[in-house]
Structures are given as C-alpha cells and as structure tokens.
Amino acid sequence: MNKRKIDLKWAQTLDGQLCDDSGTSQWITSGSELDYTHYIRSKYQGILVGASTFLIDKAQLTVRRYKDFQGDQPVRIILDPRDRVSEALSNPSQSAMVFSMLLKGKRPTVIIGGGAEPNYPGFANNIYYVNQPIDLSIDNTRLRSDLETALAKAEKLIERDLSSILVEGGPRVLTSLANQGAFDRLFVSVAPKLTGGYKFRIEAGRNLRDSINFELIDVSVRENDVIFEYQSNKDQALERVYQ
Ligand SMILES: NC(=O)c1ccc[n+]([C@@H]2O[C@H](COP(=O)([O-])OP(=O)(O)OC[C@H]3O[C@@H](n4cnc5c(N)ncnc54)[C@H](OP(=O)(O)O)[C@@H]3O)[C@@H](O)[C@H]2O)c1
C-alpha cells in the first residue's frame, strides 16, 4: 500500500480536449477556476507535469493566485523521460530562456529524467536531477512503482517531504497514470467550449466493459466552469478539498 498521495488534475473543453490541436493553447478555463487551481495546489508538497507541458506552457506551478497562502511553495517536478529539458539546455537558441524558466519560483525544481543530466553552467542551483527512466506507455504496469522510486530519490536530494503530489498534465502523463489507476483523487474542470481535435486528450483506449470508474466526491461551479472531484477507489474515504 502506497503512503504517498498522488492526485490528478486537468482542464478540458466540453469535447474532451486538454488544449487545441495546435498544442499551444493555454487557459481553457476562467480566471476564477485558475484561482481555485492555485488553492488546490496549496494542499500539495509537489506539483508534477510532463516535460512538454513545462517547455510549452513555461509552467511555474507556484501558488500565486491564492493570496492567503503562507506555507512553502510546492516543489516543481518535471517528468522528463526523454531528457527534453537537457536537450533544450544544450540548444543555444533555447538554453538561456529554459534556464531562467527553471529558476522561476523560490523552491526546488526536480527533473526526473532518462539519464542525460543537463550539462549547463549553474544547473545545480536549486534544480535537481533524478536519473529514473520512466516508460509512459499506457500499459506500463510498473509506472506507479517507478514513480515512487523516483520521488523517494527526489526526497533525499532536496531534503523535503513529497508525500502529496498533484499531477497537472499534460495528457500523456495523465493518460498513463489514469490508465494504471495510479492515483487517489481526480479533479476535472470542464469549460463550456468546443474546439474539436484529437491530439491532446485522455486516451483510455478501453471499452465500456473494462472502463475505469470513479466515485464522485464533489461538484463545484466557478464562473461558467464545472469542477468535478472524484476518487479512484470507492473504498477510500476522501473528503472534499474545499471545506
Ligand atoms: N488542459 C490541461 O489541463 C493541460 C495541462 C497540462 C498541459 N496541457 C497541454 O498539454 C500539452 C502537452 O502535453 P503532452 O501530452 O504532449 O506532454 P506531457 O504529458 O506534458 O509530457 C510528456 C513527456 O513524456 C514523453 N513521452 C511521451 N511518450 C512517452 C513514452 N512512451 N515513454 C516515455 N516518455 C514519453 C514526451 O516526450 P516527447 O516530447 O518525445 O513526446 C514528453 O516529454 C501542452 O500543449 C499543454 O498546454 C494541458
């Protein structure tokens, strides 16, 4: 039994797109939903995203919009099995910008990579590299245990507790974790928009017969967006996050 809590959160259009097919769109949901996202972040010790999300969205993953927050900013964790961040740091046209993104926010950033640690001046400055290649194929049954190993290594490196992690995307990382049932709680924010498209979606690749089912914990409304909060296991006794 895992002691660590790993929860998932994503925002999608009514037709299930996490961004449009250009791959560059951000902020599907309203400002009020974003405020709520930052409030949810404040409950976690680490916020994890895939390397594409970090590089494309320039994701800071801090609790900026929740003004009453007084705790430590959550650790930023980048899941980067193909060492895209190292690659970007070796590219003269991207390196300075990516490095400044990595330094944003007063808290450690951990990169869980596939073995190619960045060779960039000043890299070790509050940025940590964990060598733990993780296969993000949707049928990888070792996903949760490999992630546990990586997070345990990260805890030792940064000397901080990472017993609660919120995974905020992108669709590749979320799809793999959702398919393996490798999470406790799931937040899905639905914005009343239609974009069409097929590239950036949660792809369970299942039939109704073997669908993954969740238990509803809470539903709330922020402007025109609806936020569904589920738990993965009906035997858990999770409470609503927003009390
Ligand atoms: N609406 C939302 O809630 C939300 C949240 C976050 C992000 N997004 C959007 O999602 C988009 C990025 O999502 P994404 O799904 O492309 O990427 P991602 O989940 O952010 O990152 C996935 C990473 O895993 C790598 N990868 C892919 N398949 C793999 C495999 N089988 N084994 C190991 N590693 C593998 C990818 O490498 P490669 O680069 O080589 O493929 C990439 O570096 C962005 O445009 C962002 O705006 C939306």
Side-chain angles (χ1 to χ4, degrees):
M1 168 120 166
N2 291 308
K3 282 208 203 110
R4 202 184 308 278
K5 186 169 76 158
I6 297 187
D7 296 348
L8 312 182
K9 180 175 187 308
W10 71 75
Q12 64 171 64
T13 60
L14 267 183
D15 52 343
Q17 289 277 119
L18 275 67
C19 62
D20 67 29
D21 272 2
S22 73
T24 55
S25 60
Q26 248 180 309
W27 318 137
I28 286 178
T29 47
S30 61
S32 163
E33 195 279 338
L34 289 174
D35 292 346
Y36 184 62
T37 299
H38 284 228
Y39 169 79
I40 293 174
R41 281 181 186 170
S42 73
K43 307 279 179 193
Y44 292 84
Q45 287 151 341
I47 312 290
L48 183 149
V49 292
S52 295
T53 297
F54 167 69
L55 291 167
I56 295 170
D57 292 357
K58 303 183 174 54
Q60 290 190 57
L61 311 177
T62 51
V63 182
R64 302 183 296 284
R65 301 174 68 112
Y66 176 35
K67 300 296 178 213
D68 293 340
F69 179 61
Q70 293 183 336
D72 288 335
Q73 289 289 336
V75 174
R76 175 170 55 183
I77 304 165
I78 303 169
L79 195 51
D80 187 16
R82 294 179 176 166
D83 287 312
R84 296 294 182 210
V85 176
S86 301
E87 194 179 284
L89 285 172
S90 332
N91 180 337
S93 68
Q94 295 178 39
S95 52
M97 195 264 287
V98 171
F99 189 58
S100 75
M101 278 159 53
L102 282 169
L103 290 178
K104 275 229 165 112
K106 290 194 176 87
R107 44 63 169 114
T109 290
V110 175
I111 300 170
I112 301 173
E117 181 162 1
N119 177 15
Y120 190 80
F123 176 77
N125 183 9
N126 220 16
I127 313 167
Y128 298 83
Y129 186 87
V130 169
N131 180 0
Q132 180 72 41
I134 292 186
D135 177 5
L136 287 175
S137 314
I138 60 172
D139 53 358
N140 177 17
T141 52
R142 291 183 46 83
L143 178 59
R144 177 77 190 234
S145 62
D146 286 349
L147 189 56
E148 286 291 337
T149 306
L151 292 169
K153 287 182 187 173
E155 281 179 317
K156 281 200 179 135
L157 263 181
I158 62 175
E159 298 177 342
R160 265 176 75 161
D161 188 20
L162 292 174
S163 49
S164 60
I165 305 286
L166 182 68
V167 181
E168 283 199 46
R172 163 50 49 196
V173 171
L174 291 164
T175 289
S176 304
L177 287 165
N179 258 282
Q180 293 302 323
F183 65 95
D184 302 287
R185 189 189 297 260
L186 167 63
F187 301 92
V188 180
S189 299
V190 179
K193 297 181 168 81
L194 296 173
T195 58
Y198 63 93
K199 289 185 186 165
F200 296 98
R201 310 174 66 85
I202 305 298
E203 292 176 75
R206 291 164 182 262
N207 296 320
L208 257 186
R209 212 172 348 112
D210 64 343
S211 60
I212 309 169
N213 301 315
F214 310 110
E215 295 284 314
L216 186 67
I217 302 173
D218 195 19
V219 181
S220 54
V221 176
R222 307 269 147 177
E223 289 182 42
N224 286 319
D225 304 322
V226 183
I227 304 164
F228 298 92
E229 190 178 333
Y230 301 100
Q231 62 185 35
S232 65
N233 174 353
K234 67 175 168 32
D235 298 327
Q236 286 173 308
L238 300 182
E239 289 178 345
R240 305 164 56 204
V241 156
Y242 205 91
Q243 298 297 338

